[in-house]
Amino acid sequence: MAVDRQAEEQKLIELMIAYQKGDMDAFGGLHEALKRPLIRYLWTFVRNQTVAEDLLQETFLQLHRARQTYTPPRPVRPWIYAITRHVALMHLRTMRRRKEMLPDENLPEIPVPPEMDQLADRATVQRLLGTLPRAAQEVLILHHLLGLSFEEVGQIMGIAPGTAKVRSHRALKKIREHLAEEGA
Amino acid sequence: MSLDNIPSGLREAIEKDHRAVRPLHPAWMRAMVAAAILAVVLAFVLANASLRADIDTLPMWLSWGCSALQVVLGVFLLSLALREAVPGNGIPLGTVRLAAATALGVQILVGIATSIFSPAIVMPGSGMAPGIGCLKHEAMMALPTFAVTLLLIFRALPLRAPTAGLLGGAGATVASDGVIHLLCPMANLSHVLVWHTGAVILFMGLGWVIGALWERLRW
């Protein structure tokens, strides 16, 4: 698993270096490798498939405009996820200014990290995940679902790795407490 | 790898601006560019201005020692600002707070120590004129480094531009204050706290506001 992740990261680094050198196919490779996890991450913010797909395009546009800011051989994912996060936050800020809200029926399923899938049935875990503050959801998704280390989560969110770990621990604890209360 | 799966709008936008780019240098190397500007300005000022009259009454660690400490701290803050400007390389907020507090704290402590070792007002001020003079000099010395740092910050992609601007402002003024400390003839604490610490706070605020404006325009 760790070897897979390392190989995957190495592949991303190679694609990113080729892309910086002007290889358009490498951009295609990055898009292909990252679109699914990025859509999942964007869901955490917007909870709407169409908006998440629009934001994914905006993310890749921003990534293209800022491609010189990636410094090889640093890991690619923290760099890309940080840009993605910012695109989502700017979108939310614009929505707040315009006082636009998505109707409830547009709320899609929140992706459930595998660790939590075993805690209860999927619908319950999804409901409880939805009650957590966004920052806690973000840490859980980034670490448990997308497989990023706490150090990488910290780099993406601009927090210390220890803070990311504490947030994840508290979020899991809260979900377990809710489940225990509901079971009682 | 095929580009067919990329939405056409995105593909066209990328193809329009498709060229090789050179990756940014690491933050510490870019900080050296700002530090070089800083060094030129500070050397020019030191060569052309006379040192404070009470320089001989101050211990070495308090005169040149604290001066060097402030310059080093300033350059460190500049490198933090430039690091903050790279996505995925952001500094934890606690560290930003600590850096800003250290910038102000060191400046205030140097002022207090100086007022203890040289409690007399060497050049009695009349009203606000000496203070405004110090503020002007400090601003003029900090401005070139501040401008270059902001340019380097905005050439990257700061995701918290106000924070990067604040750190840049703090770095440029703390380093400049290191030299002003050797020149300003006023040793009374109120002067240092109002005008010298005020200059640091002013540039931190300025960096924050410019960062916020840039963010609004960019995003």
Side-chain angles (χ1 to χ4, degrees):
Chain A
M1 185 79 174
V3 176
D4 282 357
R5 218 178 101 64
Q6 238 176 4
E8 198 183 313
E9 188 58 57
Q10 193 52 43
K11 191 184 153 206
L12 288 177
I13 291 172
E14 282 163 16
L15 284 171
M16 197 60 216
I17 292 171
Y19 172 40
Q20 282 182 324
K21 285 181 181 163
D23 181 352
M24 190 66 186
D25 282 348
F27 179 79
L30 281 171
H31 188 270
E32 193 56 38
L34 291 163
K35 68 178 180 191
R36 276 175 198 279
L38 289 182
I39 284 270
R40 278 175 157 185
Y41 183 44
L42 285 165
W43 267 3
T44 323
F45 297 90
V46 294
R47 311 206 179 165
N48 181 291
Q49 178 70 19
T50 315
V51 178
E53 278 169 9
D54 287 347
L55 290 182
L56 180 72
Q57 286 210 45
E58 174 65 19
T59 299
F60 274 100
L61 257 181
Q62 294 297 340
L63 186 151
H64 177 71
R65 288 173 68 182
R67 62 196 185 280
Q68 81 285 359
T69 64
Y70 167 71
T71 321
R74 288 176 56 85
V76 176
R77 294 200 295 177
W79 177 75
I80 287 183
Y81 278 96
I83 295 175
T84 309
R85 179 175 197 267
H86 197 68
V87 166
L89 290 178
M90 290 298 110
H91 169 78
L92 291 181
R93 189 179 73 176
T94 310
M95 297 279 279
R96 266 200 307 274
R97 281 198 187 136
R98 290 186 197 155
K99 298 192 169 126
E100 282 176 28
M101 294 287 284
L102 286 171
D104 279 354
E105 59 266 25
N106 280 356
L107 290 177
E109 289 186 350
I110 302 170
V112 174
E115 279 85 344
M116 279 179 273
D117 222 1
Q118 298 152 6
L119 294 176
D121 64 277
R122 209 175 174 82
T124 311
V125 176
Q126 269 173 359
R127 181 170 52 78
L128 293 177
L129 251 178
T131 63
L132 293 174
R134 200 198 60 230
Q137 280 183 38
E138 235 188 297
V139 173
L140 287 179
I141 301 293
L142 285 170
H143 180 68
H144 292 285
L145 186 77
L146 301 173
L148 280 94
S149 67
F150 284 120
E151 197 179 337
E152 289 173 325
V153 174
Q155 287 168 348
I156 293 162
M157 296 179 70
I159 55 177
T163 311
K165 205 169 185 173
V166 168
R167 278 188 195 172
S168 162
H169 177 73
R170 283 188 187 152
L172 280 173
K173 196 175 158 197
K174 209 165 187 177
I175 287 183
R176 286 201 184 99
E177 279 171 5
H178 278 303
L179 284 171
E181 276 169 25
E182 286 180 10
Chain B
M1 257 161 257
S2 166
L3 300 180
D4 298 342
N5 294 334
I6 300 174
S8 58
L10 175 63
R11 194 174 56 228
E12 280 163 23
I14 305 279
E15 278 170 346
K16 253 187 228 168
D17 170 40
H18 184 56
R19 63 192 155 79
V21 292
R22 199 180 63 186
L24 278 185
H25 291 299
W28 69 267
M29 275 172 90
R30 285 180 298 129
M32 286 303 115
V33 176
I37 305 284
L38 180 74
V40 170
V41 173
L42 301 190
F44 178 79
V45 171
L46 273 177
N48 289 287
S50 50
L51 297 180
R52 59 193 298 158
D54 61 346
I55 191 95
D56 294 331
T57 64
L58 299 177
M60 186 67 96
W61 66 265
L62 184 54
S63 54
W64 292 96
C66 282
S67 210
L69 173 74
Q70 281 185 279
V71 172
V72 170
L73 178 64
V75 174
F76 175 68
L77 288 167
L78 293 177
S79 71
L80 279 188
L82 293 169
R83 192 187 138 174
E84 174 62 38
V86 176
N89 213 2
I91 303 158
L93 271 182
T95 310
V96 173
R97 286 191 200 110
L98 184 68
T102 308
L104 290 172
V106 165
Q107 209 266 343
I108 291 169
L109 284 176
V110 171
I112 292 172
T114 309
S115 73
I116 292 169
F117 279 87
S118 178
I121 303 171
V122 181
M123 188 190 81
S126 55
M128 284 167 54
I132 291 173
C134 276
L135 183 67
K136 243 197 264 179
H137 287 131
E138 196 150 336
M140 280 165 63
M141 283 170 65
L143 217 50
T145 313
F146 181 56
V148 168
T149 306
L150 286 184
L151 199 72
L152 291 170
I153 288 172
F154 298 143
R155 274 186 66 193
L157 183 70
L159 301 181
R160 290 182 303 192
T163 305
L166 178 141
L167 289 169
T173 29
V174 166
S176 302
D177 193 67
V179 169
I180 289 278
H181 168 63
L182 294 172
L183 308 176
C184 174
M186 309 279 285
N188 57 324
L189 191 56
S190 60
H191 169 83
V192 173
L193 289 183
V194 172
W195 299 105
H196 294 235
T197 311
V200 179
I201 295 172
L202 182 75
F203 270 75
M204 283 164 80
L206 203 60
W208 179 274
V209 170
I210 294 172
L213 287 174
W214 179 87
E215 191 170 80
R216 195 164 273 230
L217 290 172
R218 173 68 171 75
W219 298 91

